[in-house]
Amino acid sequence: MFSHNKRLQYTVRVSESNPALANLLLEQFGGPQGELAAAMRYFTQALAEEDMGRKDMLLDIATEELSHLEVIGSLVAMLNRGAKGRLAEAVESEAELFRSLQGAGNDSHVTQVLFGGGPALINSAGVPFSGAYVDSIGEPTADLRSNIAAEARAKIVYERLINVTEDVGVKDALTFLMTREIAHQKSFEKALYSMDKSFPPGKLPGDPRFTSLYVNTSTGEGDASGPWNRGEQWEVMTPDDTNIPVDGGNGKASVDLSSDEESVVGLFATRGASDPSRDPVTGADLGVLQQEPKK
Amino acid sequence: MFSHNKRLQYTVRVSESNPALANLLLEQFGGPQGELAAAMRYFTQALAEEDMGRKDMLLDIATEELSHLEVIGSLVAMLNRGAKGRLAEAVESEAELFRSLQGAGNDSHVTQVLFGGGPALINSAGVPFSGAYVDSIGEPTADLRSNIAAEARAKIVYERLINVTEDVGVKDALTFLMTREIAHQKSFEKALYSMDKSFPPGKLPGDPRFTSLYVNTSTGEGDASGPWNRGEQWEVMTPDDTNIPVDGGNGKASVDLSSDEESVVGLFATRGASDPSRDPVTGADLGVLQQEPKK
Amino acid sequence: MFSHNKRLQYTVRVSESNPALANLLLEQFGGPQGELAAAMRYFTQALAEEDMGRKDMLLDIATEELSHLEVIGSLVAMLNRGAKGRLAEAVESEAELFRSLQGAGNDSHVTQVLFGGGPALINSAGVPFSGAYVDSIGEPTADLRSNIAAEARAKIVYERLINVTEDVGVKDALTFLMTREIAHQKSFEKALYSMDKSFPPGKLPGDPRFTSLYVNTSTGEGDASGPWNRGEQWEVMTPDDTNIPVDGGNGKASVDLSSDEESVVGLFATRGASDPSRDPVTGADLGVLQQEPKK
Amino acid sequence: MFSHNKRLQYTVRVSESNPALANLLLEQFGGPQGELAAAMRYFTQALAEEDMGRKDMLLDIATEELSHLEVIGSLVAMLNRGAKGRLAEAVESEAELFRSLQGAGNDSHVTQVLFGGGPALINSAGVPFSGAYVDSIGEPTADLRSNIAAEARAKIVYERLINVTEDVGVKDALTFLMTREIAHQKSFEKALYSMDKSFPPGKLPGDPRFTSLYVNTSTGEGDASGPWNRGEQWEVMTPDDTNIPVDGGNGKASVDLSSDEESVVGLFATRGASDPSRDPVTGADLGVLQQEPKK
Amino acid sequence: MFSHNKRLQYTVRVSESNPALANLLLEQFGGPQGELAAAMRYFTQALAEEDMGRKDMLLDIATEELSHLEVIGSLVAMLNRGAKGRLAEAVESEAELFRSLQGAGNDSHVTQVLFGGGPALINSAGVPFSGAYVDSIGEPTADLRSNIAAEARAKIVYERLINVTEDVGVKDALTFLMTREIAHQKSFEKALYSMDKSFPPGKLPGDPRFTSLYVNTSTGEGDASGPWNRGEQWEVMTPDDTNIPVDGGNGKASVDLSSDEESVVGLFATRGASDPSRDPVTGADLGVLQQEPKK
Amino acid sequence: MFSHNKRLQYTVRVSESNPALANLLLEQFGGPQGELAAAMRYFTQALAEEDMGRKDMLLDIATEELSHLEVIGSLVAMLNRGAKGRLAEAVESEAELFRSLQGAGNDSHVTQVLFGGGPALINSAGVPFSGAYVDSIGEPTADLRSNIAAEARAKIVYERLINVTEDVGVKDALTFLMTREIAHQKSFEKALYSMDKSFPPGKLPGDPRFTSLYVNTSTGEGDASGPWNRGEQWEVMTPDDTNIPVDGGNGKASVDLSSDEESVVGLFATRGASDPSRDPVTGADLGVLQQEPKK
């Protein structure tokens, strides 16, 4: 069960109204690399986790991410507070309010007009948060790698936001949030490598004919090599007419249909057959020149 | 520039019609862990990549994933081919076709009725493919980790599909596709660790006060420790009334408004103030018992 | 700041595996009327709230909804736990696993194949949670009404789930969750009517010519009257050729363009003009009968 | 059956081109609080309604909302008409057109480039309309409350648009549209309270132990009371270690698995177990310092 | 302005409850090829149309499609009416209701549990209607072709639904709806070819070097020819190392950066450079075998 | 199987950084009329195609569209390259970077902050690519028309982009891409009319009573005629009280319920009945004036 203390995990001190910056920060509130996506990634994993140690870690970090959602949301609310009041009370002229709405820039008009300046579950483009941002799949060797990657992405987006933030208090809070992603990544890394065997993920082994094959499908100037395709672990093939398909078959797709199915597929094919010998007049041809009126 | 050979990378031999299995396989065609998501993840990274070695690798693997998209799509098309013919030609009675549509089960009705049996850019629930599945963010230390995680997830979904597939030819092709995810993960791992420094990702260092802090936000029976929160790299805090916020401030959110802003926010607050001393009759109260007619 | 106790708000006791029921319950985990939507609705409102009493209430209820998210997610995890193990370990034959996946029914195949049996941020159709479910707009007289309506909807969806649940422990937990929606609705009602004036919402008055007008746009057998269009508060108009537009104008849409704009719009119109006097041969005409080959 | 008169319900007179204002107005065309969402909310309810009086009211209001969709769409079309001509005919230089596209601001570039200046089913951020905006669930006591809330939200968004609109004709039409939301809210309120009993919504009673419980989950400075948690109707609990779970159980999630299921879940748990006693070298550790080349 | 007559355009007579068929019919209510998409496609075009003849036609057909939305929605409501009552009133046991919910099959559980049996703005998979289904772009030569194609697609989906419908009254109404798509396609074809010149669409001519070029990018067994790549109108090229890029340049992507930009891009590249000469130990390597505990 | 040559199909030469133009070009990368949508439209059709000639054509064009995706993506990457370096390396002050991010305009902030300047699967509004853009339905007479329409739409969006592009190299590449859409449209037209019979699409004939009926649902000033509703092929009806429904029935929706179903629907109706004779006090009434405190 969750509980809440009205004090934030990190104090939010904003030095002036800035709806445009608020809008950029929404990226970490309702965006794909944001705090809700993070909290839900770990929370959904925790609920189905069978390992009690990882479960505790996932709950700890999920709960902290909810607290970060509160910090970033509070930053958004404070940066928008003045603009919210202006638009709701409308003591200025319509022209002034229109100019200030336009002048703030980026997608801050959406936050103002649709959401009244409140933090909304959207990213900085106004796109609603999606459950599809949460890539948990219920297998620890995959999920922990997803968590590691997600923390790395979130760290970078915070870094970019810090790079464009002049407000000292906002920058300070963003730096705290960015730093916590580093710490979380470390925890997930430790958890991944605490398992006996984490590669290949899952249970089924790969087909040994193809686990060390590197397929050089892109050729031409710029072809390169590195440890990802060179050395003892690798065998390289450049596909050409002589070596595909890799299974030695005919490279075609086929299905054994029942005779009834063969028959209806035949009907379907016949009905839709094109006649390659014909060179028909087409709709495009009709559209090239004015036609004579018919009646 | 891309080119195409009509031979598949792996021969597709399906032993009988099975629209339900076809629908499950759509998970790897248009689903979040599927081949289009993979191809586009690496392709978008390749186009903006500054390191020529990684760029080549990303193009190689992106192109191969497109070839896998073709293999999985061909499996779907073959498994649906008979059902497609039956529904389009309708030589059976309506009742028979309805029964067979219902009988196939899971979401195969969508593939049949909406898509005519063709492979569609949806997952096994019928949800359209989303660009949001592609988590590339333009920073190699994050993107390579995203790629590693994505390959791990794809490997697992293939494993699950293999576990429910009785058709020998389908299973064989799925095993090939699953194996290639293992090889790709290896390549991305090599590329990540070929960089001088990949942790913390990006350029900005963390705030040293918070990089090694583990916040034990979830307590009670089940609290555990492990390398993710124990050892030299960690300092643990359990938040309580005495130690939050972690910055030593007052834990509140504040903004310095201009006096004009203060004034309009004041108006807004006054207009929307609630009177806590009142115990009003409410809409719910009105809805509890039948009211007397008023006229 | 949030914290978490590993004990649930309500004990979850599931009597047997039931992936189909689990899938239905996802409606209240990641669906439009579910607990995450509720928690985020109130949480986003709380962060921007200016009235301290309502802010506290919104935080109380948002936090409780997160605890309900945990209860419903735990129900899902328990109902899926057996199926998760079977699919991951695959000690049964592929045919058996396929049959049991198909047999469970509804969209449970998505939970199994894509999410490995974990609670996912989707609804019972497999549609990802959307930030668009959260209808907060930053104005208390509207938001409180949205909250009242949302609680009513959630109560009903729980009622339907209870009606199809035979498992005593699941039913018991669902009844608790349903009941809490009733209590929350009562709180939001009290908060709405604690305000001085909550109707019309917002600050601008309506145009008095149109606030009491009922427009009878749907006519014919079944036309009815009730307190929604009859009595002192209402004036009814049935639109016809004589009384629209209601402003007494010409009912057209017009814009004053600059002469340069007039000119380019004229060019655009001319280029795209249709000739109503022509009866052209069309693509459809071409498609009716086989054409003669041209060469 | 619907029919249409080419006269609008309200005359649209726009005084000059203004693509930026057009883009803001899209919020009420294809946005979540817009006229299509409203029309479809009431229309879908009407089709399944069993009460003939409400059915008529829902059809009346749905049809009027379609007429409002036409008014707001005509405003958008007129405000964009000049810009549409300029971009399509391109009699100006590319540089001039680029500047004017950029200069219009907010998301008007999307309306111009993608939609050619026509009203599109998007909101002011360019996000496509979603059927998820329509929250009808087929139960009158919930749906009428959803309608009341939706009218309140739409009224507010119109109010904000009016506050930033200087164009007298546009403001006039927006005021008409805003006013009608007030009238519609009144009708839905009357309909709700014309029912015998509308609270609690639906048929099942709540569990009396929990209908009057207020759970004070958020504590600390700012804790408040009001009619939503104080008075005869309420009993308050502040959750702590002694009183959760509220059912008196152990607060855990459990499921009775069959022995076969226990066995496969055991295999799964063992395969994925973490070893808390190990302090492994991790990928992050590898990424901290340059490694020695291996070959 | 719209008005409504309570009589349907076509009488709906359903012979028995069938929630599964209802769910399939949702494809034409809230699906991509459905009636709302059609109505909105033509309605949005009409509002911005400059040609008065086409504008009238678009309004006629848009309004008729709304009437079709009402017919298909009424079919859905009638097919679900019995199931709605059963679930809401719950006079049967939970087990019976669960079985009947499961037994109905396909995605009908979503319509029942989430929408209470009402017609919802979703397709047969439960995916919410999207404004992205409406492909109007504000250029008549393109939009009319989109309309022609959309009518063709809708006709086919109706055909498939008819093929699986045994209920005579439903089949009859579906046949009416299907037939109207044929008539509408004819109208749009006439309108397209009533224009002076509809090909190429728009104003800018193509580059004559590339308008008649057919690029044979897919080679191998199955390479074919037909009027789409053979005859006077075509010149065929098979891309190879000697003829790409087609512009005779170097086929590379380049940008002239300022010296400051060159410098920061150089820093970025250096920071992220991979060392191809290194063969590093990777996270995957660490995950292959159990590591020794470190402390 | 696909392969890739590192040379582009068309050389990309960008003359200076321009993130705003880059963002507009995303419309053709990840937007609804863009190259990925095109490639996937043809590729999904090809996989299920039964006619070998069309299958080859679809594969040729799908593969070329992937090559166009590479060209447009390379344009985006080059236009963003400078901005990417600046944001990542942050050698300028935060204020300068914020100003330049804001100054670039339109939605380029999303590309920079979320995607680090890489081409992303979004459109120019930041909306993620959707599989719903792909309207293939598995019936050639419909799919070919969809392809023709899609090429026309893509041609127009390129035309608009060309109209706002001053950069000679970008304009040149866009002109190439636009031209290819013309060529592709021609191919699809030839393929459509190479079929024996393409109208009406599919197999079922229309009901002859309704194939030539034009329903004049929109009346009033502006009513017009043209070849789409006049001439031998058409019979016009203007719906009124005397001629609807068109089937001569009662125009109502009905279903034959079993007696059990009748009974539960009756219970449901009774429980939700409104009393039209009552004029109840409502929540809105309560909200109009301040209430007296109750205690």
Side-chain angles (χ1 to χ4, degrees), chain C residues 193 198 221 230 252 276 283 287, chain F residues 193 198 221 230 252 276 283 287:
Chain C
Y193 297 105
S198 61
E221 192 185 334
R230 194 186 51 207
K252 295 191 178 169
Chain F
Y193 297 105
S198 60
E221 193 185 332
R230 193 186 53 209
K252 296 190 177 169

Side-chain angles (χ1 to χ4, degrees), chain F residues 59-293:
Chain F
L59 287 169
D60 282 334
I61 301 183
T63 307
E64 189 179 352
E65 303 290 21
L66 287 173
S67 303
H68 293 175
L69 187 72
E70 190 182 18
V71 172
I72 191 87
S74 297
L75 286 164
V76 171
M78 290 302 109
L79 287 161
N80 275 328
R81 199 172 171 225
K84 169 181 76 174
R86 291 174 71 192
L87 183 56
E89 300 309 310
V91 296
E92 293 156 273
S93 73
E94 290 84 353
E96 274 176 292
L97 284 170
F98 183 71
R99 271 195 303 274
S100 88
L101 193 68
Q102 290 286 100
N106 64 54
D107 279 278
S108 61
H109 59 282
V110 183
T111 328
Q112 303 309 317
V113 171
L114 179 53
F115 298 111
L121 280 192
I122 55 174
N123 82 339
S124 74
V127 176
F129 177 85
S130 167
Y133 299 157
V134 177
D135 49 21
S136 308
I137 63 161
E139 160 64 40
T141 52
D143 286 344
L144 288 167
R145 286 182 168 99
S146 296
N147 301 354
I148 288 167
E151 295 289 346
R153 292 193 302 269
K155 196 271 179 187
I156 297 297
V157 177
Y158 275 124
E159 182 168 335
R160 291 173 185 157
L161 291 171
I162 289 167
N163 285 348
V164 299
T165 301
E166 214 184 350
D167 185 312
V168 175
V170 178
K171 202 179 182 81
D172 188 44
L174 292 175
T175 301
F176 169 71
L177 295 170
M178 179 191 78
T179 301
R180 296 304 297 149
E181 313 297 19
I182 299 173
H184 294 163
Q185 182 178 344
K186 281 169 55 182
S187 286
F188 290 127
E189 297 257 5
K190 287 292 181 188
L192 176 62
Y193 297 105
S194 299
M195 299 174 74
D196 250 23
K197 182 180 154 306
S198 60
F199 184 82
K203 190 177 175 191
L204 284 182
D207 179 332
R209 294 176 294 165
F210 305 120
T211 48
S212 299
L213 185 70
Y214 184 91
V215 186
N216 180 32
T217 58
S218 173
T219 54
E221 193 185 332
D223 233 15
S225 74
W228 47 81
N229 62 5
R230 193 186 53 209
E232 286 168 18
Q233 297 190 17
W234 296 110
E235 173 193 359
V236 177
M237 82 169 281
T238 301
D240 60 33
D241 240 27
T242 69
N243 60 12
I244 63 166
V246 297
D247 62 323
N250 64 4
K252 296 190 177 169
S254 61
V255 58
D256 288 341
L257 297 178
S258 70
S259 62
D260 280 4
E261 287 172 331
E262 283 285 5
S263 152
V264 289
V265 170
L267 289 175
F268 178 80
T270 302
R271 191 158 54 79
S274 68
D275 177 354
S277 69
R278 188 191 302 175
D279 189 358
V281 175
T282 71
D285 296 331
L286 295 180
V288 173
L289 292 170
Q290 183 168 352
Q291 302 173 319
E292 292 309 302

Side-chain angles (χ1 to χ4, degrees), chain B residues 4 7 10 19 34 42 79 84 97 112-113 134 153 158 172 194 235 248:
Chain B
H4 181 264
R7 267 181 283 167
Y10 203 90
Y42 312 140
L79 287 161
K84 169 181 76 174
L97 283 170
Q112 303 308 318
V113 172
V134 177
R153 292 193 301 270
Y158 275 124
D172 188 43
S194 299
E235 172 194 0

Side-chain angles (χ1 to χ4, degrees), chain E residues 132-248:
Chain E
Y133 299 156
V134 177
D135 48 21
S136 306
I137 62 162
E139 159 66 39
T141 51
D143 285 346
L144 288 168
R145 286 183 168 98
S146 296
N147 301 355
I148 289 167
E151 295 288 347
R153 292 194 301 270
K155 195 269 177 187
I156 296 297
V157 176
Y158 276 123
E159 181 166 336
R160 289 173 186 157
L161 291 170
I162 289 167
N163 286 349
V164 300
T165 301
E166 214 184 350
D167 185 312
V168 175
V170 178
K171 199 180 184 82
D172 188 43
L174 292 175
T175 300
F176 169 71
L177 295 170
M178 179 191 78
T179 301
R180 297 304 296 149
E181 312 298 19
I182 298 173
H184 293 163
Q185 181 177 344
K186 280 170 55 183
S187 286
F188 291 127
E189 297 256 5
K190 287 293 182 189
L192 175 63
Y193 297 105
S194 299
M195 300 175 74
D196 251 22
K197 181 180 154 304
S198 61
F199 184 82
K203 190 177 176 192
L204 285 183
D207 179 333
R209 293 176 296 166
F210 304 121
T211 47
S212 299
L213 185 69
Y214 185 93
V215 186
N216 180 32
T217 58
S218 173
T219 54
E221 193 185 333
D223 233 14
S225 73
W228 47 80
N229 62 6
R230 192 187 53 209
E232 286 167 18
Q233 296 190 17
W234 296 110
E235 172 193 359
V236 178
M237 83 169 279
T238 301
D240 60 33
D241 240 26
T242 69
N243 60 13
I244 64 165
V246 296
D247 63 323

